Amino acid sequence: MAQQLQVPFSTKLPHPVYFRTARLPAAATYPRHHHPWGEFVYAFSGVMELELAGSHYLAPPQYGIWLPPDVEHRGMNRSEASHCSLYLTKALCRGLPRTTCALAVSPLVKSLLEHLREHQVAYPRTSAERRLMRVLIDQLSLAPPQGSYLPMSDDALLGEVLRALVKAPADGRSLAQWARQVHTTERTLERRCQQHLGLSFSEWRQRLRVVKALAMLEEGSAVEVVALELGYSSASAFIAMFRRMTGTTPDKLRGHGLATS
């Protein structure tokens, strides 16, 4: 059963820029809410998911999720996660994207977030901490927007296929086979992939497998085990896909935390 969490702030931020960290058990959720300030969500471990009206934003630890002010959303994590939120008043959001998106997290941004967590800096109290926060906000404004790393859709036809694959990522059925499963044509499904996801079906499935692999690798699972669990006939085929999608190899991540590529 999902554990319902309380939204930290309802009407006012304690400070114009505020940093908060939390460790979440598996299947924890924040209720649907919105607030008049921006929020950058980053997972130090695990995978964070944000649900907006009709869309899901899923980010492994190479990405954070940016929420502009006044965007209604619901936060969740399917497995245990450690995450942080950087809250910014509207005035401090001017250089950041105006729409919800995933942002690529550079090594510098990750180091700054780790520093804030390690030193328990909720908001800047000294001139040095003010400069550090300013650098972090500037770096986030320069981060390449990624849309949603793994977008979802509630489309009647496409949504059924995506939800089935999330439950069984090793399922290797082709798009034509899935089309027959949901009583439509391959062309219709491919068109809806482009319309609702901005990705081809094959790229979306590879991204799904990357997200699933990250969670398994973080737990210390062997690369060969991960490959088989995700439907690959060999570890080498999985490693080639993983390197192409992330720029690094599974062995470099397994058991050592998930580094930014």
Side-chain angles (χ1 to χ4, degrees), residues 1 4 12 22 47 51 65 104 110 114-115 127 136 140 153 158 176-177 183 186 199 203 219 227 239 249 259-260:
M1 184 175 179
Q4 187 83 4
K12 187 178 179 180
V47 176
E51 182 185 77
I65 302 173
K110 184 176 181 182
E114 290 279 10
H115 177 88
S127 58
L136 176 56
L140 288 175
S153 173
L158 182 59
Q177 290 172 314
H183 309 294
E186 180 180 3
L199 301 169
E203 183 175 355
E219 293 168 357
I239 292 168
T249 63
T260 303

Side-chain angles (χ1 to χ4, degrees), residues 24-236:
L24 304 178
T29 65
Y30 289 100
R32 187 174 295 278
H33 65 285
H34 62 88
H35 38 67
W37 49 81
E39 180 180 359
F40 175 72
V41 181
Y42 175 74
F44 294 104
S45 64
V47 176
M48 292 301 298
E49 183 176 352
L50 290 174
E51 182 185 77
L52 282 67
S55 299
H56 288 70
Y57 286 76
L58 203 71
Q62 293 101 325
Y63 300 89
I65 302 173
W66 167 246
L67 290 160
D70 302 312
V71 172
E72 188 175 66
H73 59 282
R74 182 169 75 97
M76 68 196 80
N77 55 290
R78 301 180 189 280
S79 58
E80 185 176 342
S82 174
H83 83 102
C84 66
S85 286
L86 180 70
Y87 302 99
L88 304 173
T89 58
K90 281 186 179 180
L92 294 174
C93 296
R94 289 172 184 158
L96 286 148
R98 295 184 179 182
T99 58
T100 302
C101 62
L103 295 176
V105 173
S106 68
L108 176 55
V109 167
K110 184 176 181 182
S111 295
L112 290 170
L113 295 172
E114 290 279 10
H115 177 88
L116 293 174
R117 176 171 68 159
E118 180 181 347
H119 293 276
Q120 300 181 349
V121 179
Y123 58 89
R125 293 179 174 88
T126 66
S127 58
E129 289 175 350
R130 283 192 290 273
R131 289 194 297 271
L132 186 148
M133 287 290 195
R134 184 69 259 176
V135 170
L136 176 56
I137 295 169
D138 287 345
Q139 287 298 307
L140 288 175
S141 70
L142 296 172
Q146 304 292 322
S148 170
Y149 183 79
L150 188 70
M152 293 294 289
S153 173
D154 291 330
D155 175 77
L157 295 176
L158 182 59
E160 182 178 339
V161 176
L162 302 184
R163 289 189 293 272
L165 283 169
V166 167
K167 291 180 180 178
D171 192 320
R173 278 180 282 181
S174 68
L175 188 60
Q177 290 172 314
W178 278 111
R180 288 194 292 272
Q181 173 77 21
V182 296
H183 309 294
T184 188
T185 66
E186 180 180 3
R187 185 174 179 180
T188 296
L189 269 190
E190 185 58 56
R191 186 169 61 248
R192 295 198 183 189
C193 283
Q194 293 298 336
Q195 289 174 345
H196 294 272
L197 308 176
L199 301 169
S200 69
F201 175 74
S202 60
E203 183 175 355
W204 186 91
R205 180 157 53 189
Q206 287 179 336
R207 289 191 180 199
L208 169 68
R209 289 174 172 177
V210 166
V211 169
K212 296 290 188 180
L214 288 169
M216 296 174 69
L217 292 166
E218 185 180 42
E219 293 168 357
S221 296
V223 173
E224 293 78 6
V225 172
V226 176
L228 291 174
E229 286 283 334
L230 295 179
Y232 289 89
S233 58
S234 67
S236 59

